[in-house]
């Protein structure tokens, strides 16, 4: 290991002066990756697109496994003998989230240890095993064990996808490409709802819903073998020649020198060997960790995944057919994701976050009103469903895709993987308790109080983003790093 790090230092020292001469005198590379280059323009977005699309399979699986339990939970509880036990039903959801918490804790170490490509392949393996175990479960414990395995893969996949997309994308389309992960998650959610429709009428169909997820997980493991490795990871490992080769695949030959110069620029005075986890908690990165963890906590405390997990139950209690209502939820989520893709690199991350959380406040207010005696029964149904769809749409426009994109951009390369993993672990921890307690809280305090609590957290998110979040639109990763230096 020491020899490898020495090689890294020698490579960096030996090439830095030449690279910066090229950077300053020939290419003007400070601007090339930000969309302002004058000599050779921006890199073609078409080169990196196939690699990004393969990576989004991890997000597709994330969305699928979030939604697969929605239409199938009632059938599963009947077949496995825990129907009517809300705590057991909550455990089927939350065990997966607990596994995701564990997976996310180790995701950064895996991504930094074996590389982004191998990390994708490793996250696909437990999702294949876990889905197979859930599909063949004979009792509640078998289902919980399968969901635990799936969760570990889910916890590893999203942070690695965010890292990979951030590191292989040109700056001028990085936000757009980052939105692809949310679109893929929306497609996965919608796909799980489609395939789950026959579950209530066809005995044992829920098992097919779990088997169906094995195919995209296998595709992720296979196709990633042909994708580019992250040049940032290769450079950090002292494999500069390989990093240049991967940049040529992703950006094209004319842009390789400027890209390497950007990496060297961020590396000045930085020793990758000195990273310690304590830096993230007590060092100069702790402010960004605080921002990221708080953003993810507020994202989950908004109540969004309670909608995804239990919308069938909520719609059923309102007398609305769950099939059509849940399909509308999936379509609203997908529509919002496409809007985010269009606006991400135009309006910026911060504007989308503020607008998104503000819309969620309004939507939760509508849902809270529908739970009062101020409106008739028929009006309450329309307000409840309309408020939920508006909530999902607003979430998908900003609060859904932006936090993972923003965090991957704001951390320096040498701590990026581990820092994003810690923030994602916090996300999964909050997500776990929301999934576990939502139905119980709905029974005990009612929808009015619960929706008011969710709306309050959305309002707090608006204030937090306004005060703490840095805009990263159009900036290279190195420019963002320099702006955040103490």
């Amino acid at each position: 290991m020491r020899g490898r790090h020495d090689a890294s230092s020698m490579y960096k020292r030996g090439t830095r002066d030449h690279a910066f001469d090229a950077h300053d005198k020939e290419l003007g590379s400070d601007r090339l990756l930000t969309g302002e280059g004058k000599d050779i323009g921006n890199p073609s977005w078409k080169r990196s697109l196939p690699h990004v699309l393969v990576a989004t399979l991890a997000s597709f699986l994330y969305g699928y496994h979030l939604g697969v339990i929605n239409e199938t939970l009632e059938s599963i509880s009947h077949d496995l003998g825990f129907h009517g036990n809300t705590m057991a039903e909550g455990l089927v959801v939350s065990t997966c989230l607990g596994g995701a918490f564990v997976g996310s804790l180790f995701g950064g170490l895996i991504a930094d240890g074996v590389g982004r490509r191998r990390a994708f392949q490793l996250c696909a393996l437990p999702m294949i095993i876990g889905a197979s175990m859930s599909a063949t479960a004979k009792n509640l414990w078998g289902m919980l064990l399968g969901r635990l395995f799936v969760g570990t893969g889910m916890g590893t996949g999203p942070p690695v996808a965010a890292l990979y997309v951030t590191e292989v994308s040109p700056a001028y389309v990085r936000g757009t490409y980052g939105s692809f992960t949310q679109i893929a998650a929306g497609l996965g959610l919608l796909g799980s709802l489609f395939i789950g429709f026959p579950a209530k009428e066809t005995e044992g169909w829920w098992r097919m819903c779990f088997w169906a997820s094995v195919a995209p997980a296998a595709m992720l493991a296979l196709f990633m073998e042909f994708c580019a490795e992250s040049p940032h990871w290769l450079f950090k490992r002292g494999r500069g020649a390989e990093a240049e080769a991967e940049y040529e695949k992703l950006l094209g030959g004319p842009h390789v020198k400027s890209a390497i110069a950007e990496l060297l620029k961020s590396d000045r005075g930085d020793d990758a060997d000195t990273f310690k986890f304590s830096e993230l908690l007590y060092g100069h990165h702790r402010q960004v960790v605080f921002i990221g963890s708080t953003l993810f906590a507020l994202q989950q405390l908004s109540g969004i995944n309670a909608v995804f997990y239990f919308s069938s139950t909520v719609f059923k209690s309102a007398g609305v057919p769950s099939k059509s209502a849940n399909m509308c939820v999936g379509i609203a989520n997908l529509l919002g994701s496409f809007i985010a893709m269009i606006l991400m690199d135009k309006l910026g991350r911060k504007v989308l976050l503020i607008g998104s959380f503000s819309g969620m406040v309004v939507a939760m207010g509508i849902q809270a009103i529908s739970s009062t005696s101020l409106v008739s029964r028929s009006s309450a149904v329309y307000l409840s469903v309309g408020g939920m769809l508006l909530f999902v749409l607003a979430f998908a426009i900003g609060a859904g895709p932006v936090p993972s994109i923003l965090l991957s951009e704001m951390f320096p390369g040498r701590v990026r993987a581990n820092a994003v993993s810690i923030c994602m672990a916090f996300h999964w921890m909050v997500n776990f308790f929301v999934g576990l307690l939502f139905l119980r809280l709905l029974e005990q305090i009612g929808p009015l109080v619960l929706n008011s609590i969710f709306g309050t957290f959305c309002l707090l998110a608006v204030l937090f983003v306004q005060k703490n979040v840095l805009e990263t639109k159009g900036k290279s990763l190195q420019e963002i790093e320099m702006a955040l230096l103490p």
Side-chain angles (χ1 to χ4, degrees):
M1 289 294 293
R2 182 64 190 168
R4 177 181 291 176
H5 292 310
D6 287 343
S8 174
S9 299
M10 289 174 65
Y11 174 83
K12 293 170 185 175
R13 285 195 300 268
T15 58
R16 181 175 295 143
D17 292 341
H18 172 74
F20 275 103
D21 285 342
H23 166 75
D24 293 331
K25 296 178 182 179
E26 297 175 16
L27 297 175
S29 64
D30 271 338
R31 295 173 295 166
L32 278 171
L33 296 181
T34 63
E36 299 174 7
K38 302 300 183 182
D39 296 323
I40 55 177
N42 292 315
S44 172
W45 55 267
K46 296 179 183 178
R47 285 180 169 270
S48 53
L49 179 61
H51 308 271
V52 170
L53 292 178
V54 173
T56 59
L57 282 172
S59 298
F60 177 89
L61 287 162
Y62 165 78
Y64 186 92
H65 284 294
L66 280 183
V68 70
I69 211 69
N70 198 319
E71 283 290 337
T72 59
L73 184 57
E74 184 177 342
S75 300
I76 292 170
S77 63
H78 275 293
D79 288 358
L80 301 185
F82 58 91
H83 181 66
N85 185 339
T86 55
M87 184 57 71
E89 292 175 352
L91 277 172
V92 172
V93 172
S94 296
T95 300
C96 183
L97 306 180
F101 172 76
V102 175
S104 64
L105 280 178
F106 294 99
L109 293 173
I110 294 171
D112 270 351
V114 300
R116 311 321 190 211
R117 290 168 62 238
R118 293 290 178 258
F120 277 118
Q121 293 172 324
L122 287 175
C123 87
L125 184 60
M127 285 197 272
I128 293 172
I129 295 172
S132 302
M133 293 175 69
S134 295
T136 56
K138 303 298 182 184
N139 51 46
L140 174 62
W141 294 108
M143 173 59 67
L144 294 181
L145 187 59
R147 295 290 285 168
L148 184 66
F149 267 86
V150 165
T152 59
M154 285 175 61
T156 306
V160 175
L163 287 170
Y164 185 80
V165 172
T166 296
E167 292 175 348
V168 304
S169 304
Y172 74 103
V173 292
R174 192 173 60 239
T176 299
Y177 279 2
S179 300
F180 284 5
T181 59
Q182 180 70 12
I183 292 173
L187 288 172
L189 178 66
L190 203 57
S192 70
L193 295 176
F194 264 119
I195 202 168
F197 280 160
K200 293 177 182 177
E201 290 80 25
T202 306
E203 184 178 355
W205 182 261
W206 61 267
R207 298 183 186 275
M208 290 300 301
C209 297
F210 287 103
W211 281 123
S213 67
V214 172
M219 290 169 61
L220 173 63
L222 176 63
F223 292 162
M224 192 50 67
E225 192 65 29
F226 305 99
C227 288
E229 181 55 89
S230 164
H232 289 252
W233 180 78
L234 290 169
F235 186 82
K236 189 169 69 171
R237 304 292 285 187
R239 296 156 64 177
E242 293 176 60
E244 291 184 9
E246 298 294 29
Y247 264 138
E248 187 163 0
K249 290 182 190 176
L250 295 165
L251 305 178
H255 299 271
V256 171
K257 286 186 178 180
S258 63
I260 293 295
E262 287 284 345
L263 289 180
L264 287 164
K265 181 179 178 181
S266 66
D267 182 62
R268 278 185 291 188
D270 192 26
D271 184 359
D273 293 352
T274 63
F275 167 70
K276 297 178 181 178
F277 271 101
S278 59
E279 289 182 51
L280 302 178
L281 302 178
Y282 308 108
H284 64 268
H285 301 301
R286 72 175 185 269
Q287 180 65 18
V288 184
V289 172
F290 169 73
I291 293 172
S293 299
T294 305
L295 269 181
F296 278 125
L298 290 170
Q299 180 196 65
Q300 295 307 306
L301 291 170
S302 71
I304 183 59
N305 279 326
V307 173
F308 290 146
Y309 300 145
F310 302 112
S311 60
S312 291
T313 304
V314 173
F315 282 126
K316 184 178 179 181
S317 67
V320 180
S322 64
K323 284 185 180 180
S324 56
N326 285 338
M327 188 53 59
C328 289
V329 167
I331 292 173
N333 184 53
L334 193 60
L335 177 61
S337 300
F338 276 107
I339 294 173
M341 179 187 70
I342 295 170
L343 298 179
M344 188 73 70
D345 285 313
K346 294 181 179 178
L347 298 182
R349 287 55 155 162
K350 189 171 183 176
V351 171
L352 286 187
L353 274 178
I354 292 173
S356 175
F357 279 118
S358 298
M360 292 162 72
V361 171
V362 174
M364 273 301 172
I366 293 173
Q367 290 197 77
I369 291 172
S370 73
S371 306
T372 68
S373 58
L374 299 175
V375 295
S376 64
R377 172 67 179 171
S378 58
S379 298
V381 170
Y382 288 114
L383 286 174
S384 177
V385 174
M388 184 174 286
L389 295 179
L390 176 61
F391 183 79
V392 172
L393 178 68
F395 170 84
I397 289 174
V402 171
S404 59
I405 296 172
L406 197 62
L407 266 292
S408 296
E409 293 175 327
M410 290 174 69
F411 285 110
R414 73 187 186 94
V415 304
R416 185 176 296 131
N418 290 297
V420 170
S421 289
I422 286 179
C423 294
M424 285 296 293
F426 200 73
H427 158 276
W428 286 115
M429 182 175 66
V430 179
N431 198 339
F432 172 85
F433 286 108
V434 171
L436 181 64
L437 299 175
F438 174 74
L439 287 179
R440 183 61 59 89
L441 289 172
L442 189 62
E443 287 179 347
Q444 295 193 355
I445 66 176
L448 174 60
V449 177
L450 191 56
N451 288 333
S452 299
I453 292 172
F454 287 149
T456 301
F457 279 116
C458 293
L459 182 58
L460 289 174
V462 173
L463 301 176
F464 179 82
V465 170
Q466 183 66 48
K467 182 177 180 180
N468 295 283
V469 171
L470 171 75
E471 181 55 70
T472 60
K473 178 187 71 171
K475 296 182 174 68
S476 73
L477 297 180
Q478 288 68 37
E479 287 176 321
I480 297 167
E481 180 178 341
M482 294 298 178
L484 290 170
L485 285 175

